[in-house]
Amino acid sequence: MPGGRRVAAVTDARFDVAAGECLALIGESGCGKSVLASALLGLLPGNAQTAGAAHLGDLDLLAADERTLARTVRGRLIGLVPQSPAAHLTPVRTVRSQLEETVAALTATRGRAALRAAAEAAAERAAFPADHLDRHPHQLSGGLAQRAATALALVGDAPLLLADEPTTGLDRDLVDRTVDELRRHVDEPGESGGRGRGLLMITHDLTAAERIADRVAVMYAGRIAELATAEDFFGSPGPRHPYSRGLLQALPDRAFTPVPGMPPELGDLPDGCAFAARCDRATGTCAAPPPPGTVACHHPHLPEDARA
């Protein structure tokens, strides 16, 4: 940062994503979700530094060089649905030509007719209309650009898919169709068989997360606040971290009560719990860092709280 200041955008993020599983990563804007995804693909800005390890099979993504990431990882081992699809589409080429190029690069499909058919099939998977394939990105709405980016991400049948806000700009019916297609991508075995593919979905849409996720990770101020099964998180007993419960209670079909206050600046985090200033359960104990585990909280909600 200016003046030599450093910001810990993501700290101690510990989780796994299994084949055939969807992990939904949720949290307020600026909490570090997209930074985490960018780190896994080597797409952080030049002034960023990473530490730790991120294993995909035998490959440590954080230690991989640019050549390995470009030729082996991106598109082939990890597919990406970017948060800002219009910025990732080539502006001077049609959607069809970009799909055909991606099919040719990532699959064994050859021949003009076969590439055309494969590109159209990829578009159909993402509900991208065939009569828009010959348009350029600037001729697309935000929702259409999102669907084009999703189609491109699914082409390589990568064993891991990172979907960063894949439902942005879509109406409810298209949200459901998109997450259902992503779920099919997770569940269907790959070309070599096996248990399917992994999906890390970053989203603000908790309804979409409930529809697709097996587990939910909640991020706050650059840290994982809670990791739970989707069944427990959205059902009973519900989330255990006060912030997680606040996110659910802010939904229109629940209490529609906003979480009070604002998130702290990542460059000025407190020594203890970063959520304490907004939490009605906070005590003096919260001046110390939260305990490690699946719930980073000194005073988590317990199952008997839900029964009460």
Side-chain angles (χ1 to χ4, degrees):
M1 300 291 287
R5 191 166 59 96
R6 295 180 180 273
V7 170
V10 177
T11 305
D12 292 336
R14 301 172 185 269
F15 61 89
D16 61 277
V17 183
E21 178 187 40
C22 171
L23 175 66
L25 183 60
I26 65 176
E28 290 169 287
S29 295
C31 70
K33 304 185 301 297
S34 296
V35 170
L36 176 60
S38 296
L40 297 178
L41 284 166
L43 298 176
L44 291 173
N47 64 339
Q49 296 180 350
T50 59
H55 292 287
L56 180 59
D58 295 329
L59 177 65
D60 182 355
L61 298 172
L62 299 187
D65 57 29
E66 175 58 27
R67 180 183 177 90
T68 300
L69 291 169
R71 297 195 175 190
T72 304
V73 175
R74 298 180 193 132
R76 293 172 172 83
L77 294 179
I78 302 179
L80 173 67
V81 181
Q83 184 178 31
S84 303
H88 286 74
L89 297 172
T90 304
V92 296
R93 299 180 60 187
T94 65
V95 175
R96 183 190 302 278
S97 71
Q98 294 183 60
L99 276 170
E100 289 180 356
E101 178 185 47
T102 304
V103 170
L106 301 181
T107 74
T109 305
R110 295 295 180 267
R112 187 170 181 177
L115 288 173
R116 185 181 182 89
E120 292 174 353
E124 185 177 0
R125 285 182 69 184
F128 187 89
D131 59 357
H132 285 56
L133 280 169
D134 294 312
R135 296 189 179 186
H136 290 80
H138 73 274
Q139 297 173 301
L140 305 178
S141 65
L144 284 174
Q146 186 70 60
R147 281 180 270 170
T150 301
L152 287 164
L154 294 176
V155 166
D157 282 330
L160 176 63
L161 186 66
L162 299 183
D164 193 353
E165 300 289 356
T167 59
T168 299
L170 305 182
D171 61 38
R172 197 73 246 167
D173 288 342
L174 281 173
V175 167
D176 292 346
R177 178 166 177 175
T178 298
V179 297
D180 288 348
E181 183 57 49
L182 293 175
R183 185 71 236 189
R184 278 192 291 274
H185 181 79
V186 170
D187 293 335
E188 291 175 357
E191 293 181 1
S192 58
R195 293 186 300 155
R197 307 167 183 86
L199 169 62
L200 175 60
M201 186 173 82
I202 296 168
T203 185
H204 289 100
D205 190 337
L206 297 188
T207 302
E210 183 177 11
R211 187 179 181 94
I212 191 176
D214 298 293
R215 289 188 299 143
V216 176
V218 181
M219 181 169 274
Y220 185 79
R223 294 178 180 265
I224 302 293
E226 182 169 4
L227 188 61
T229 67
E231 182 179 6
D232 287 345
F233 189 89
F234 292 107
S236 181
R240 296 185 59 199
H241 196 287
Y243 173 64
S244 305
R245 296 180 82 89
L247 286 180
L248 278 186
Q249 292 306 307
L251 294 176
D253 59 347
R254 301 214 181 194
F256 206 30
T257 303
V259 180
M262 295 292 290
E265 293 289 337
L266 290 177
D268 189 28
L269 293 177
D271 294 331
C273 176
F275 186 63
R278 308 173 70 186
C279 182
D280 60 5
R281 297 170 73 92
T283 66
T285 307
C286 302
T294 57
V295 185
C297 181
H298 290 287
H299 308 294
H301 291 264
L302 301 175
E304 51 264 32
D305 297 336
R307 290 196 295 270

